[in-house]
Amino acid sequence: MAVDPLLITTAFELPGLRVTRNLGIVRGIIVRSRSIVGNLGAALQSLFGGNITLYTNLCERARSDAFDSMQAQAAALGANAIIGMRYDAITEVLAYGTAVVVEHDR
């Protein structure tokens, strides 16, 4: 029975599936910057307090791009799942996890 491609979880196991091969750590890393116009817009938003949507949208795009990059690296290794997936962000957004091959339990 086939397993859907690239199951991704923050857990270290997938119920009903077993890891048959560990292919190692995969990651996607993205560093983004706002333009000067975007920074000025964000500075204006910060004057009023609350959520700075320009930066929030930038972070969401960076997370999405890092996630996509991590998935592409796992697929290139032949993985059909990523376990222990996490995000980390300081000046960049890093998505990482362990690429594995899983099969249904019998």
Side-chain angles (χ1 to χ4, degrees):
M1 184 180 296
V3 173
D4 294 332
L6 281 179
L7 299 169
I8 300 172
T9 182
T10 58
F12 292 99
E13 61 184 337
L14 291 161
L17 302 172
R18 63 184 170 85
V19 173
T20 59
R21 276 189 320 179
N22 182 327
L23 302 173
I25 295 171
V26 290
R27 73 209 172 319
I29 185 168
I30 299 295
V31 178
R32 290 253 183 246
S33 172
R34 289 239 42 104
S35 68
I36 189 70
V37 174
N39 282 330
L40 288 173
L44 288 174
Q45 276 188 322
S46 70
L47 291 174
F48 299 101
N51 185 20
I52 302 173
T53 58
L54 291 168
Y55 286 141
T56 300
N57 293 336
L58 178 69
C59 288
E60 285 299 330
R61 271 197 328 274
R63 264 188 217 92
S64 178
D65 290 348
F67 189 81
D68 292 345
S69 179
M70 176 191 63
Q71 287 184 84
Q73 187 180 32
L77 291 173
N80 66 353
I82 298 172
I83 58 175
M85 190 271 161
R86 302 285 189 269
Y87 284 108
D88 195 1
I90 306 284
T91 58
E92 73 285 336
V93 174
L94 175 65
Y96 61 95
T98 304
V100 295
V101 174
V102 295
E103 296 176 356
H104 286 282
D105 284 338
R106 297 183 199 256

